[in-house]
Amino acid sequence: CTVKYSGYLGNWNKRFCSNRNSKYPRLMKLGKDITLLGLEIGLLSMTKGEAALFILMPEYAYGQRGCPPCIPPNTVVLFEVEVLDFIDSEECDTFFELTYEQQDRLPLETVLKVAATEREFGNYFFYKQHFKVAKDRYKRGLFILGRSSSSKAEQSQINASKLLLFLNLSLTYLKLERPDRALKYGELALELDQGNAKALFRCGQACLYLREYSKSLDFLARAQHIQPFNRDINNELKKL
């Protein structure tokens, strides 16, 4: 989760920790980065966008020993918190603790959920402009989907998940100024859905970046034919 927080001693007079001045609070894992029992219990009760005040008795905070020099022994503490975002990664964590053989035996529903969580992590890092980290999470999602399918229906579900990751990777590589890779993933998306306007647009952008103007025009014109009033597509054609 990403949380804005401030911690105070019981009389509100002394603040001992805060990240409220941080523009982009880092993603923290419950049980690993957030280990204060009362705070963990409190955060698990909250929803995205919610703000709360928690009064933590010593057994749920720093206990009999406190946390010298800031927090005396047996101290009641107050935490003012706001949940900005969270990702449920429980199934993801469990998945990566398994061997490859065990992963391969899991039901497709679980595999798709884990891949979707990796994409969610990628989206989080993308919007924070950590494009290299986002790229790695998207690729990990693709790796998870690399299993063989036993039916056309299963393969269709796998392809639907792959399509989203190909599109995200294409855009991420454009942000990383790697148009060759952006084109590759755009074309992989088109192999799954040849009429996908977003994939055509990404390929058109990549080709324009590579100065392959005829190819760019072909991709963008096809995208415009599908979505004639799309402002981004029309602006890219003007640029071309």
Side-chain angles (χ1 to χ4, degrees):
C1 57
T2 48
V3 179
K4 285 202 170 184
Y5 65 85
S6 294
Y8 302 86
L9 297 183
N11 57 10
W12 280 96
N13 290 331
K14 185 176 180 183
R15 186 170 69 180
F16 61 85
C17 68
S18 179
N19 73 342
R20 290 201 165 269
N21 291 329
S22 173
K23 187 176 180 182
Y24 297 117
R26 69 188 180 93
L27 197 65
M28 296 187 292
K29 188 170 179 61
L30 292 174
K32 182 180 177 183
D33 304 306
I34 300 173
T35 55
L36 210 62
L37 178 59
L39 191 54
E40 187 170 348
I41 293 170
L43 285 168
L44 285 169
S45 75
M46 297 178 71
T47 59
K48 182 178 175 179
E50 184 178 357
L53 171 65
F54 295 110
I55 302 170
L56 307 184
M57 304 308 288
E59 59 267 34
Y60 289 98
Y62 298 95
Q64 295 180 353
R65 299 177 65 180
C67 188
C70 297
I71 301 162
N74 295 308
T75 300
V76 174
V77 296
L78 307 170
F79 269 92
E80 189 178 26
V81 297
E82 180 185 358
V83 175
L84 304 178
D85 205 353
F86 71 90
I87 300 170
D88 182 359
S89 64
E90 184 176 8
E91 281 198 74
C92 218
D93 296 337
T94 304
F95 180 87
F96 287 111
E97 288 171 3
L98 302 174
T99 64
Y100 290 132
E101 291 76 15
Q102 289 171 321
Q103 290 174 5
D104 209 40
R105 289 197 294 269
L106 289 172
L108 179 61
E109 183 183 353
T110 301
V111 175
L112 292 174
K113 189 171 182 182
V114 172
T117 302
E118 286 299 315
R119 187 166 61 85
E120 204 175 341
F121 271 113
N123 291 345
Y124 170 83
F125 289 113
F126 181 91
Y127 288 117
K128 293 289 184 280
Q129 298 188 23
H130 300 319
F131 300 123
K132 287 184 179 179
V133 183
K135 171 203 57 150
D136 292 341
R137 298 310 288 248
Y138 294 142
K139 284 191 172 182
R140 195 152 84 150
L142 279 178
F143 174 77
I144 292 163
L145 295 170
R147 64 187 281 170
S148 57
S149 60
S150 58
S151 68
K152 284 187 176 181
E154 278 200 354
Q155 191 59 53
S156 178
Q157 288 180 280
I158 292 170
N159 287 348
S161 293
K162 281 184 173 181
L163 177 62
L164 296 172
L165 288 162
F166 287 151
L167 290 170
N168 287 357
L169 276 164
S170 184
L171 177 58
T172 304
Y173 272 114
L174 284 171
K175 294 292 186 182
L176 289 168
E177 298 184 350
R178 290 289 309 278
D180 55 329
R181 304 294 290 174
L183 180 59
K184 173 196 166 183
Y185 283 105
E187 289 177 331
L188 285 170
L190 288 172
E191 286 178 17
L192 297 178
D193 180 5
Q194 61 181 356
N196 189 290
K198 193 172 285 187
L200 291 165
F201 177 56
R202 298 275 177 263
C203 289
Q205 285 181 295
C207 288
L208 181 55
Y209 199 110
L210 291 165
R211 300 187 179 187
E212 295 182 12
Y213 301 124
S214 296
K215 284 181 70 176
S216 179
L217 179 60
D218 178 60
F219 282 123
L220 292 173
R222 286 160 62 194
Q224 188 189 50
H225 182 73
I226 297 165
Q227 294 185 2
F229 303 109
N230 185 300
R231 184 181 299 173
D232 291 332
I233 295 170
N234 291 330
N235 284 341
E236 204 72 7
L237 277 164
K238 286 179 185 175
K239 192 190 300 183
L240 173 64

